[in-house]
Amino acid sequence: MIFPPVGNTLRPFYGEKPMREFAPFEERLSIWTIETMQSIFELEKSGIKLGVSPTQNETFGDYQCNAAMELAKVLKKAPRQIAQEFADAAVLPDFVEKIEIAGPGFINFFLSNAALAEHIQSLENDPHLGVEQAGQGKAVVIDYSSPNVAKPMHIGHIRSTVIGNAIDRLYRFLGYHVIADNHLGDWGTQFGLMMVGFRSFADKEALAKAPVEELERVYIASYNKSKEDPSWRDEAKAELVKLQQGDGENRALWKQFIELSIQEFDTIYNRLGVKFDLYRGESFYNDQLPKMIKTLEGRGLAVESDGALIVDLEEDGMPVCIVRKSDGGYNYATTDLATVESRIEEFSPDRIIYVTDERQQLHFKQFFTIAKKLGMEANLVHVWFGLMRLPEATFSTREGNVIKLAALLDEAEARALEMVKSSSPDMPEDQQKELARAIGIGAIKYTDLSQNPQSLVTFTWEKALNMEGNSAPYLQYAYARISSVSDKYSAQFSGTDLDDYPITIEHELERRIAIKLSRFPAAIRAAAENYRPNILADYLYDLAQIYSSFYQNVPFLKADEGIRESRIRLCRATAATLRQGLDLLGIETPERI
RNA sequence: GCCCCGGUAGCUCAGCUGGAUAGAGCAACGGACUUCUAAUCCGUAGGUCACAGGUUCGAAUCCUGUCCGGGGCGCCA
């Protein structure tokens, strides 16, 4: 857990710290209801949630407290009576307009428009838009993307990359010192086959054109040959041993594979706006593996079984974990343990987050358990996501039905370009292309980020490239409209200073926007806490929907002086939130669409 | 056999740390561009939340079982 768990009488998160300047209403109101409930009903710590939560239906108010129903048993009173007593005795905080009791005993709170307006104004001066810097002074390592060397990235890699990057951005925004590490698959038995294959059938021209694709072709050819030709297999094994023993020629070739691969990965990462602090492949930890085995043996954790070295995890309800193969080679778990040790030593992280697909759940459970037994001190978190499927079948290299990531991005940009050309035919072509890039890539990312990561996902071109409705372009469009109207305001009313006109909230849509804006910190916190960027995506889509309705139904520039300025300020606050939120998802916000 | 995940509108998905009338997008139907960008907005229609029990004042949400789908389970990573 990142934040202290919620649920007890006083949310530890709200803590004993003095209330911060831009604290959201939910936080302020919860502290107030908890304290008030405790004093009115003379409650000890009971484990009952006394705080408030947002209402699901705005006709009920802005926040609701459900404690009366739960307190009924403890206090031996009817819930409605409890609610009534609370309402009668409580002195409302100044930001609450009124409270109502409804249904079985819900206590509903209505925020005052003046307080809302003031809050939104105060956010104009807060670069973090009300979000607390919860990660100050803490480091976190995020291990994501991690493709294999010599294999092109396909659509199966996009989730780890895009979700991992969003988590990365979220944690940075919360003030954590984030170390984004791309743990490349750069070591393993496949390199023997790569070596012999490369020397026999690498095509120099193809290699120059599309290096990684050619390396993959070589690998597949070599793999197929090894199945029919035992001597080929032996040769590959011999080359692998030579590589592992540090043979100069093989090392050089291996390094070349890695360099070519990283170069190509980087072009994809650049297109996706993804940056890593480190590219430490598995090979980086090679030298530490024997020591790790010794430690495991020394602690009595690793024992021999059928020639291999295993850690028995039966008492933890898990199958055994092989840490050294019978041929002396090391396994994934061993590398991962050494990696944790190294990261702790170097970065002292508060936690290490791994973003991979669901198939690795057992592996992570096992090695987390072993790490704990070894006394490694870091919170290890496995963030897993559902595997991507094609409508027809699961895709695999062997089936030949993989869709390359580069091709997906190309297609997205091409489709976006068509739309840009038809809607902005007068725009210079290079600008059209630049815009199409931002929109196309945004659409791809948003598709992944707007879904619950753990859901099964079926890849369809239609969904991946969706540009209407709940999609990145919808959000970008909303942003661009604000930008445009904001610029027009500046041009038409160049002499006015917006600070001279306070934000006022009269219209229902103004109120809905203000409420939504005030909940940005909650969305950020929930997204980070649960490692689920889709919570933020949902929030932003809601916000954009309310804004679009506002835009379409309420005049800004033609409104009377005062109302006009107030609305422009609301627009700009919305823009700031959309821009920040989309940036945290790694989605760009062009000023014009 | 054991373990993990999913099953919500015709389709694709939110909602799942229990709350009031289950939401979006697409598709369908009907409206709104001489107005701040129609990639938009407004409206209509569409649901046994897989099924059966249980816990609870209250269950799509928690528990148990069943069915269907996906994944994992000693020398791959």
Side-chain angles (χ1 to χ4, degrees):
Chain A
M1 291 299 286
I2 308 175
F3 301 99
V6 171
N8 280 330
T9 314
L10 205 112
R11 290 183 166 195
F13 172 70
Y14 295 147
E16 285 152 19
K17 288 175 288 182
M19 184 66 68
R20 60 207 168 83
E21 195 180 351
F22 305 112
F25 291 112
E26 184 176 351
E27 189 174 324
R28 286 193 250 171
L29 198 50
S30 283
I31 290 174
W32 179 80
T33 54
I34 290 166
E35 288 173 355
T36 309
M37 285 272 179
Q38 281 174 338
S39 90
I40 292 180
F41 300 111
E42 296 174 355
L43 294 169
E44 296 298 311
K45 280 184 186 162
S46 59
I48 293 174
K49 268 188 239 169
L50 301 176
V52 299
S53 52
T55 55
Q56 286 191 353
N57 185 328
E58 62 196 62
T59 60
F60 297 141
D62 302 314
Y63 291 94
Q64 65 183 67
C65 172
N66 303 332
M69 276 82 72
E70 282 196 76
L71 285 172
K73 259 185 210 158
V74 185
L75 298 176
K76 300 196 172 83
K77 285 180 190 169
R80 272 208 76 115
Q81 190 193 341
I82 295 169
Q84 191 59 54
E85 283 176 26
F86 175 83
D88 292 343
V91 180
L92 296 180
D94 57 4
F95 55 87
V96 174
E97 174 77 37
K98 62 169 176 177
I99 68 177
E100 273 178 10
I101 297 164
F106 295 112
I107 305 167
N108 295 330
F109 296 83
F110 294 76
L111 301 180
S112 89
N113 288 352
L116 260 176
E118 198 185 332
H119 181 69
I120 301 309
Q121 263 177 225
S122 77
L123 293 181
E124 287 174 353
N125 304 315
D126 181 7
H128 293 102
L129 303 171
V131 176
E132 188 176 29
Q133 293 293 285
Q136 282 290 359
K138 292 181 195 159
V140 50
V141 175
I142 308 182
D143 180 327
Y144 67 97
S145 195
S146 308
N148 285 325
V149 161
K151 285 184 189 164
M153 292 171 93
H154 56 79
I155 57 171
H157 290 105
I158 198 167
R159 301 206 90 191
S160 176
T161 308
V162 164
I163 293 170
N165 185 244
I167 293 172
D168 173 339
R169 289 165 181 261
L170 277 164
Y171 276 79
R172 281 180 213 267
F173 187 61
L174 288 169
Y176 286 87
H177 171 54
V178 173
I179 299 110
D181 189 2
N182 195 346
H183 193 66
L184 297 171
D186 66 353
W187 200 248
T189 47
Q190 77 270 27
F191 283 99
L193 286 168
M194 289 289 311
M195 301 270 157
V196 288
F198 187 82
R199 287 179 181 131
S200 300
F201 16 79
D203 177 333
K204 273 189 185 160
E205 265 179 48
L207 199 66
K209 246 192 245 163
V212 179
E213 215 162 301
E214 174 63 5
L215 290 179
E216 188 190 40
R217 190 191 66 82
V218 163
Y219 172 73
I220 291 172
S222 183
Y223 173 78
N224 288 336
K225 190 169 179 182
S226 76
K227 283 200 291 193
E228 293 149 20
D229 183 351
S231 71
W232 183 263
R233 198 160 52 222
D234 293 342
E235 215 176 305
K237 223 170 194 177
E239 292 306 317
L240 178 67
V241 171
K242 275 168 71 183
L243 171 69
Q244 288 170 341
Q245 288 171 345
D247 170 79
E249 223 172 288
N250 280 7
R251 279 270 165 174
L253 193 53
W254 169 73
K255 277 194 177 150
Q256 195 192 337
F257 294 159
I258 294 174
E259 271 164 33
L260 289 171
S261 300
I262 289 183
Q263 263 177 34
E264 200 161 306
F265 297 155
D266 274 345
T267 61
I268 298 245
Y269 292 140
N270 283 336
R271 292 178 74 177
L272 288 172
V274 170
K275 276 192 201 121
F276 291 96
D277 300 297
L278 298 172
Y279 284 83
R280 283 194 187 154
E282 293 158 3
S283 63
F284 183 85
Y285 305 95
N286 274 344
D287 299 344
Q288 299 164 44
L289 301 185
K291 206 182 94 200
M292 178 52 64
I293 292 291
K294 266 194 186 151
T295 308
L296 287 166
E297 284 180 318
R299 297 288 190 90
L301 287 170
V303 292
E304 210 175 294
S305 167
D306 294 338
L309 201 63
I310 62 158
V311 177
D312 188 339
L313 295 169
E314 202 181 343
E315 62 178 41
D316 301 283
M318 279 177 273
V320 297
C321 178
I322 297 178
V323 292
R324 195 182 60 205
K325 298 185 279 185
S326 49
D327 70 0
Y330 302 102
N331 281 69
Y332 195 18
T334 318
T335 311
D336 275 341
L337 286 167
T339 304
V340 171
E341 189 172 64
S342 158
R343 284 173 177 166
I344 289 175
E345 194 184 315
E346 187 171 355
F347 305 113
S348 311
D350 177 66
R351 68 177 73 73
I352 304 176
I353 300 168
Y354 299 83
V355 186
T356 81
D357 73 58
E358 59 184 332
R359 289 174 303 182
Q360 301 196 32
Q361 284 177 87
L362 178 61
H363 161 71
F364 279 101
K365 252 191 188 168
Q366 288 181 318
F367 112 74
F368 286 179
T369 303
I370 298 172
K372 204 174 173 188
K373 286 177 195 276
L374 288 174
M376 293 180 175
E377 289 191 19
N379 298 310
L380 303 175
V381 181
H382 181 213
V383 176
W384 58 267
F385 53 86
L387 215 50
M388 183 106 70
R389 280 157 252 270
L390 292 176
E392 317 82 73
T394 315
F395 54 88
S396 74
T397 313
R398 258 171 280 161
E399 298 292 328
N401 62 351
V402 289
I403 299 170
K404 299 258 160 59
L405 197 40
L408 178 68
L409 302 185
D410 290 346
E411 182 66 23
E413 289 182 15
R415 290 207 197 182
L417 186 58
E418 265 177 52
M419 294 185 77
V420 170
K421 279 190 167 156
S422 71
S423 69
S424 311
D426 301 331
M427 190 182 273
E429 204 182 326
D430 55 336
Q431 274 182 43
Q432 285 179 333
K433 280 191 175 161
E434 174 57 19
L435 190 53
R437 189 193 55 74
I439 292 170
I441 299 295
I444 293 281
K445 288 181 151 192
Y446 187 84
T447 300
D448 262 324
L449 292 171
S450 61
Q451 296 186 74
N452 183 332
Q454 301 189 342
S455 293
L456 295 145
V457 283
T458 305
F459 178 87
T460 60
W461 284 98
E462 190 196 355
K463 187 167 55 166
L465 305 177
N466 178 31
M467 311 248 172
E468 279 168 9
N470 189 354
S471 67
Y474 176 90
L475 296 168
Q476 291 169 319
Y477 183 66
Y479 179 82
R481 292 216 286 198
I482 302 177
S483 229
S484 168
V485 83
S486 172
D487 287 355
K488 286 208 163 110
Y489 175 83
S490 300
Q492 280 180 40
F493 304 95
S494 52
T496 54
D497 183 353
L498 282 176
D499 289 338
D500 295 341
Y501 301 88
I503 294 180
T504 52
I505 290 171
E506 304 284 345
H507 196 282
E508 184 207 334
L509 284 164
E510 291 171 336
R511 193 167 198 288
R512 289 179 62 198
I513 286 185
I515 289 277
K516 198 74 195 171
L517 290 174
S518 75
R519 290 180 183 166
F520 181 65
I524 295 292
R525 193 161 80 88
E529 186 174 347
N530 298 296
Y531 309 102
R532 280 178 38 188
N534 76 300
I535 294 173
L536 175 57
D538 271 2
Y539 169 86
L540 294 171
Y541 178 59
D542 275 354
L543 176 61
Q545 268 188 316
I546 301 168
Y547 181 79
S548 296
S549 184
F550 184 46
Y551 178 92
Q552 205 88 16
N553 294 299
V554 176
F556 305 159
L557 300 182
K558 289 190 173 171
D560 293 342
E561 184 182 349
I563 293 176
R564 179 175 63 219
E565 280 69 23
S566 166
R567 287 182 179 162
I568 293 298
R569 286 178 83 167
L570 264 181
C571 282
R572 290 188 180 173
T574 306
T577 304
L578 282 175
R579 187 177 54 232
Q580 180 61 258
L582 284 170
D583 182 65
L584 292 174
L585 296 179
I587 294 170
E588 293 174 48
T589 41
E591 298 295 314
R592 293 284 174 277
I593 281 188

